C-alpha cells in the first residue's frame, strides 16, 4: 500500500515537484488567511460598501494592468528566482501593513494601497509560478501535477485559510497578516530548494520559426503565436466567455442565497464551502478520470454541467437543492481547471509559457470584471434569478459553438515531449 506522501506527491514526479508543491500549498494558506481577514479589516475601518468592494477590485486590477507584461518577464528571466523575488516582495508589503496596524495608523487608503501592491506582486509570482510545473515534470504527468496543486489551493486557500484568518482577526487585527507573512516567507524558502533553474532566456526577437525575421516585441510575439494556434486560442476564448457567464450570477450570490433562498449569512458561507468540498472530490478522482476518460469527453461533460448548473440555480428555491448543485459545481469546475491548464501547458512552447499563461489569466480576470458588472445590472433590472438565466443562455450558446472544436483542442499534438526534459533533471 503506497504511503501518504506517495499518494500526495508521487515519487515519479521528482523531488523538485515536491518543493514546488510545498511552496504552493504554503503560499495558498497565507492567501486564504487574507481572503477573510482583508475584507474584515476594511469593514472595521469603514462602513462604505464601495470602499469595501474596492478591496476586491484592487486584487483584480493588477492582472488587467500588468498581466501581459508579467508573462513577458517570466519568459525572459529565471522563473524560479522571479517567484522568490515576487513572494519576498509580498511579504515585505504585508509587513509594512502590520507596522501600521500595530502602531494604530492604519487607514482605508493604506489598506487599499497595500492590496494593490500585493496584487501586483501576486501577478508576477503566479505568472512565473505557473510556468514551473512544465519544466519539472514530464508532459504525461502534467495532469496529476496540476491536480495536486489544485488540491492545495482548495484545502489551504478555500477551506482552511479563511476560517483561520477570521479567528486570528478576532484575536487582533494584525495577527492574520503576521501569519500570512510567515507563510509567504516559508514559500520562498521552499521554492529556493528547487535545483533546476529556468531554461535559457530566448532572444526577444526570435520566436518559433522566426530566425530570419525582424525583431518582434515579446508581448506581441506571444499574441501572434496565440493567434496562429487555433486549439490554444479557442481554449482561451472558452475560458474568457465562461468566466463572464459564471461571474454574472456569482456577483450577487450573497443576495441570491440570503434573500431568494432565505439561507441567512451562515447558510451563504456554507454554500460557498460546499463548492470547495465538491472540488476536493473532483481533484481526488482526477487521476482515475485521466486514465479512463478522454480529455475531450471530460471537457464536454464539465462545460455541459456548467450550463445545467446555471439552469438549476435559476429554477430552484430550495436550499438543499442549492447545496447539491454547488457541491457538483465544485467537483466538475476543478476538474475542468486542471484539464484546461494541463492542455495549455502541453501545447505551448517552453519559451512562451509565461506569456500565454498571462493572456489566459487576463482573460480570466477580464471575464470576472465584465461578468460581475453585467450581473449587478441584470439583477437590479430583472431580479435575482435573472443573472442565472443570462449565464444559462450565454454558456449554452458558447458550448454549442465550440462543441466540435473541443475534440481538436484535446487531440492537438503537444509541443513538449520527454526529450526536452534534460536527463539530469528528469524525474526518476
Amino acid at each position: 500500500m503506497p504511503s501518504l506522501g506517495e499518494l500526495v506527491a508521487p515519487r515519479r514526479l521528482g523531488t523538485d515537484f515536491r518543493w514546488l508543491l510545498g511552496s504552493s500549498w504554503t503560499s495558498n494558506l497565507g492567501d486564504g488567511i487574507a481572503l477573510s481577514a482583508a475584507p474584515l479589516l476594511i469593514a472595521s475601518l469603514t462602513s462604505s460598501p464601495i470602499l469595501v468592494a474596492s478591496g476586491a477590485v484592487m486584487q483584480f486590477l493588477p492582472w488587467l494592468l500588468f498581466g501581459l507584461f508579467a508573462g513577458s518577464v517570466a519568459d525572459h528571466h529565471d522563473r524560479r528566482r522571479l517567484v522568490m523575488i515576487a513572494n519576498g516582495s509580498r511579504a515585505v508589503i504585508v509587513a509594512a501593513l502590520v507596522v501600521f496596524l500595530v502602531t494604530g495608523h492604519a487607514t482605508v487608503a493604506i489598506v487599499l494601497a497595500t492590496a494593490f501592491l500585493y496584487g501586483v506582486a501576486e501577478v508576477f509570482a503566479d505568472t512565473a509560478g505557473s510556468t514551473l510545473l512544465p519544466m519539472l515534470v514530464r508532459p504525461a504527468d502534467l495532469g496529476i501535477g496540476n491536480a495536486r496543486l489544485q488540491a492545495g489551493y482548495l484545502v489551504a486557500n478555500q477551506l482552511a485559510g479563511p476560517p483561520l484568518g477570521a479567528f486570528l482577526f478576532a484575536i487582533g487585527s494584525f495577527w492574520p497578516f503576521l501569519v500570512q507573512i510567515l507563510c509567504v516567507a516559508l514559500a520562498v524558502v521552499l521554492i529556493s530548494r528547487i535545483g533546476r533553474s529556468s531554461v535559457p532566456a530566448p532572444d526577444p526577437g526570435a520566436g518559433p520559426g522566426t530566425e530570419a525575421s525582424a525583431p518582434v516585441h515579446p508581448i506581441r510575439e506571444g499574441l501572434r503565436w496565440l493567434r496562429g494556434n487555433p486549439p490554444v486560442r479557442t481554449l482561451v476564448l472558452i475560458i474568457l466567455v465562461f468566466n463572464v457567464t459564471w461571474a454574472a450570477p456569482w456577483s450577487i450570490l450573497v443576495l441570491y442565497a440570503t434573500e431568494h433562498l432565505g439561507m441567512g449569512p451562515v447558510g451563504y458561507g456554507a454554500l460557498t464551502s460546499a463548492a470547495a468540498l465538491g472540488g476536493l472530490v473532483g481533484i481526488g478522482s482526477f487521476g482515475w478520470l485521466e486514465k479512463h476518460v478522454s480529455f475531450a469527453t471530460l471537457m464536454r461533460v464539465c462545460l455541459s454541467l456548467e450550463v445545467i448548473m446555471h439552469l438549476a440555480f435559476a429554477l430552484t428555491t430550495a436550499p438543499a437543492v442549492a447545496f447539491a448543485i454547488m457541491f457538483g459545481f465544485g467537483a466538475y469546475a476543478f476538474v475542468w481547471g486542471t484539464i484546461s491548464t494541463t492542455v495549455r501547458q502541453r501545447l505551448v512552447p517552453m519559451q512562451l509559457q509565461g506569456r500565454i499563461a498571462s493572456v489566459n489569466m487576463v482573460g480570466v480576470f477580464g471575464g470576472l470584471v465584465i461578468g460581475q458588472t453585467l450581473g449587478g445590472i441584470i439583477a437590479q433590472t430583472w431580479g435575482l434569478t435573472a443573472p442565472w438565466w443570462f449565464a444559462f443562455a450565454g454558456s449554452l450558446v458558447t458550448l454549442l459553438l465550440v462543441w466540435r472544436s473541443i475534440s481538436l483542442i484535446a487531440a492537438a499534438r503537444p509541443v513538449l515531449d520527454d526529450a526536452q526534459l534534460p536527463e539530469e533533471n528528469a524525474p526518476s
Side-chain angles (χ1 to χ4, degrees):
M1 183 176 180
S3 65
L4 179 61
E6 178 67 15
L7 290 174
V8 174
R11 186 169 299 143
R12 72 176 188 275
L13 300 185
T15 302
D16 283 345
F17 170 76
R18 294 187 173 187
W19 291 124
L20 174 64
L21 187 66
S23 177
S24 175
W25 284 23
T26 305
S27 174
N28 269 305
L29 179 61
D31 289 344
I33 290 172
L35 195 63
S36 61
L40 288 171
L41 177 59
I42 297 175
S44 71
L45 297 173
T46 179
S47 59
S48 168
I50 294 178
L51 290 177
V52 172
S54 296
V57 174
M58 291 298 103
Q59 290 289 112
F60 290 157
L61 189 59
W63 278 104
L64 302 182
L65 296 178
F66 304 108
L68 297 180
F69 175 68
S72 178
V73 171
D75 283 339
H76 293 86
H77 294 81
D78 186 317
R79 292 158 174 171
R80 181 185 63 116
R81 187 174 300 172
L82 183 58
V83 175
M84 293 170 59
I85 293 173
N87 275 334
S89 300
R90 292 204 290 175
V92 171
I93 291 167
V94 179
L97 175 62
V98 169
V99 172
F100 284 112
L101 290 172
V102 171
T103 59
H105 292 90
T107 64
V108 175
I110 289 175
V111 176
L112 292 179
T114 300
F116 178 78
L117 293 175
Y118 188 90
V120 172
E122 189 172 40
V123 169
F124 287 88
D126 288 355
T127 300
S130 69
T131 69
L132 293 178
L133 183 64
M135 295 164 50
L136 301 177
V137 305
R138 295 186 174 94
D141 291 322
L142 283 173
I144 197 67
N146 278 307
R148 295 300 182 263
L149 292 172
Q150 286 268 32
Y153 169 80
L154 278 169
V155 174
N157 190 286
Q158 299 291 294
L159 289 177
L164 178 58
F167 171 76
L168 292 171
F169 188 85
I171 299 175
S173 62
F174 67 90
W175 278 109
F177 304 102
L178 185 60
V179 175
Q180 184 187 14
I181 294 171
L182 296 176
C183 288
V184 176
L186 179 57
V188 173
V189 173
L190 290 172
I191 210 164
S192 71
R193 300 298 301 274
I194 294 177
R196 183 173 191 258
S197 184
S198 64
V199 295
D203 185 339
T210 60
E211 291 83 353
S213 60
V216 180
H217 189 278
I219 295 178
R220 192 157 56 245
E221 178 189 354
L223 294 175
R224 187 175 67 180
W225 183 92
L226 181 64
R227 187 170 61 250
N229 189 285
V232 180
R233 184 184 68 228
T234 303
L235 183 61
V236 170
L237 290 175
I238 291 173
I239 291 171
L240 168 63
V241 176
F242 269 79
N243 268 283
V244 171
T245 56
W246 174 83
W250 233 253
S251 67
I252 51 92
L253 182 63
V254 61
L255 298 177
Y256 172 86
T258 56
E259 297 181 14
H260 181 72
L261 299 178
M263 299 176 69
V266 175
Y268 164 68
L271 188 65
T272 58
S273 296
L277 293 174
L280 288 177
V281 173
I283 293 302
S285 62
F286 184 82
W288 183 91
L289 291 172
E290 186 180 29
K291 291 179 181 178
H292 295 85
V293 186
S294 70
F295 268 14
T297 299
L298 285 174
M299 293 170 78
R300 287 194 176 107
V301 169
C302 289
L303 295 181
S304 297
L305 289 173
E306 176 92 349
V307 175
I308 295 171
M309 182 205 72
H310 293 316
L311 177 62
F313 267 126
L315 294 174
T316 189
T317 57
V321 175
F323 276 113
I325 298 170
M326 192 64 80
F327 182 87
F329 162 75
Y332 74 76
F334 282 93
V335 170
W336 162 263
T338 301
I339 292 173
S340 62
T341 301
T342 300
V343 169
R344 189 191 72 244
Q345 289 175 340
R346 287 178 178 174
L347 296 178
V348 177
M350 191 69 75
Q351 69 269 25
L352 291 173
Q353 286 279 343
R355 277 165 283 184
I356 303 305
S358 70
V359 172
N360 183 75
M361 291 305 297
V362 169
V364 168
F365 286 99
L368 291 178
V369 171
I370 295 171
Q372 289 173 336
T373 302
L374 289 175
I377 295 173
I378 293 171
Q380 182 71 32
T381 306
W382 291 289
L384 295 177
T385 60
W388 295 109
W389 287 109
F390 163 79
F392 166 67
S395 58
L396 176 60
V397 171
T398 303
L399 179 58
L400 293 175
L401 291 174
V402 302
W403 186 268
R404 294 183 62 183
S405 299
I406 289 175
S407 294
L408 300 177
I409 295 171
R413 184 177 179 180
V415 171
L416 305 177
D417 55 44
D418 288 354
Q420 288 180 286
L421 204 61
E423 187 69 27
E424 64 271 19
N425 296 314
S428 58

